[in-house]
Amino acid sequence: MAPGRPQAKGGGAPMKQRRTQQRRDEILALATDVGLTNVDDLAERFGVTASTIRRDLATLSSDGRLARTYGGAISTSHLPEASLLQRRSEALDAKRSIVSWAAGQVERGESIFLDAGSTTALLARELTTRQTPATVTTSSLPVVSQLQSASALTVQCLGGRLRPLSGAFVGPLAEASLDRMSFDRAFISADGVTADRGLCEAELEQTRFKEIVARRTRSLYVLAHAAKLGHAPFDAWARLDLPWTLVTDEAAPESALDEFRAAGISVVVAPAVATA
């Protein structure tokens, strides 16, 4: 009997992993159906300790599938649109890596477009430090704020309806302005991005605006850190014609990147940058 014991113990590990994965899948399904999940309720439902549930929620949260709340978690599909202020400190190291690479693509004398978003606002700040002469067009007030003292840059801001959450101008006036412009490079953001559906946003006006920008640029870059890949928090989508380039960070799983490559999308994994 003794020789068989190590074999039984080894066979138990995969079984435990399957149970853990099944429990986490059920937790995600519950959060999607009812919105909010509670640690104590989940522990009682699955017959495990509260600390086990907290580990489950931490894993699902790090994967971008749930967002932690006090005492539990909520499905990301139930989250309202976050403000630019709320997003400014999210995945900061990843965003710094992305904007460092992106700023390095801008060449002297080019015309570029910077979309609204926390990552593009960081890119604007990076461009002011590099002082590469260029013309920058944007629909974002935070981007304009970053660029207003950059003597090497010519700045153009589009008008339209102001979205307070993002500090961006959208709508017919902004779209009409784009008809008179073209860009060497455009750097755009998204709330989520998938290989098959494109860019996910909170409003249809945002998706239409990004599609127009994409048609007016020679080189298009979508700046999205790892947590946004495969993420679909809203129902509005922008479809992008090839070619375009996804720029993400080193935390992006290779399996997710392979989906974009298989769809004919160029992928850049920006190397990490040293922080002070």
Side-chain angles (χ1 to χ4, degrees), residues 9 62 66 82 86 100-101 139-140 158 162 173 211 217 224 226 229 234 251 271-273:
K9 182 178 180 181
S62 66
L66 290 181
Q86 291 172 306
S100 178
W101 183 90
S139 56
S140 166
L158 306 181
L162 180 64
L173 290 177
E211 288 173 349
T217 187
L229 306 187
F234 305 110
V273 295

Side-chain angles (χ1 to χ4, degrees), residues 18-38:
R18 285 195 294 271
R19 286 199 300 267
T20 298
Q21 187 58 54
Q22 182 179 10
R23 184 178 64 249
R24 290 173 180 172
D25 288 343
E26 291 183 27
I27 289 172
L28 181 62
L30 283 170
T32 302
D33 289 340
V34 303
L36 190 65
T37 59
N38 177 274

Side-chain angles (χ1 to χ4, degrees), residues 2-253:
R5 288 175 185 168
Q7 184 177 357
K9 182 178 180 181
M15 180 66 73
K16 182 179 180 181
Q17 292 173 356
R18 285 195 294 271
R19 286 199 300 267
T20 298
Q21 187 58 54
Q22 182 179 10
R23 184 178 64 249
R24 290 173 180 172
D25 288 343
E26 291 183 27
I27 289 172
L28 181 62
L30 283 170
T32 302
D33 289 340
V34 303
L36 190 65
T37 59
N38 177 274
V39 169
D40 293 333
D41 291 344
L42 291 172
E44 182 178 355
R45 179 186 183 95
F46 292 104
V48 296
T49 64
S51 60
T52 296
I53 293 297
R54 290 190 185 96
R55 285 194 295 272
D56 291 338
L57 298 181
T59 298
L60 291 169
S61 176
S62 66
D63 291 343
R65 304 169 75 188
L66 290 181
R68 298 297 300 272
T69 64
Y70 181 76
I74 188 171
S75 169
T76 52
S77 64
H78 289 269
L79 290 173
E81 182 184 4
S83 68
L84 188 65
L85 182 63
Q86 291 172 306
R87 289 182 277 124
R88 194 165 56 186
S89 60
E90 294 176 355
L92 194 53
D93 288 341
K95 293 175 183 177
R96 285 171 175 155
S97 300
I98 290 169
V99 304
S100 178
W101 183 90
Q105 308 312 300
V106 178
E107 298 181 3
R108 185 182 184 90
E110 286 190 333
S111 174
I112 69 171
F113 179 83
L114 295 188
D115 195 14
S118 57
T119 306
T120 49
L122 277 178
L123 176 54
R125 186 167 69 183
E126 181 70 15
L127 290 174
T128 64
T129 64
R130 301 201 181 202
Q131 290 292 308
T132 302
T135 297
V136 182
T137 301
T138 185
S139 56
S140 166
L141 287 179
V143 168
V144 170
S145 178
Q146 291 289 345
L147 297 176
Q148 62 183 350
S149 61
S151 58
L153 301 174
T154 299
V155 182
Q156 301 178 146
C157 185
L158 306 181
R161 179 180 68 85
L162 180 64
R163 298 188 73 249
L165 277 174
S166 61
F169 292 107
V170 295
L173 290 177
E175 295 167 10
S177 298
L178 289 173
D179 287 339
R180 294 176 175 268
M181 298 179 176
S182 64
F183 311 103
D184 295 300
R185 305 177 196 274
F187 301 92
I188 63 176
S189 62
D191 290 315
V193 55
T194 69
D196 57 340
R197 301 182 70 181
L199 310 185
C200 183
E201 293 290 348
E203 291 185 358
L204 289 172
E205 276 187 315
Q206 294 172 283
T207 61
R208 175 178 167 84
F209 183 80
K210 292 174 193 290
E211 288 173 349
I212 296 173
V213 169
R215 293 195 294 267
R216 307 297 295 175
T217 187
R218 178 170 56 84
S219 298
L220 178 67
Y221 305 89
V222 176
L223 311 183
H225 61 77
K228 293 186 175 182
L229 306 187
H231 189 46
F234 305 110
D235 298 322
W237 291 87
R239 298 298 300 269
L240 303 180
D241 295 330
L242 293 175
W244 61 275
T245 300
L246 169 69
V247 186
T248 189
D249 64 285
E250 292 179 342

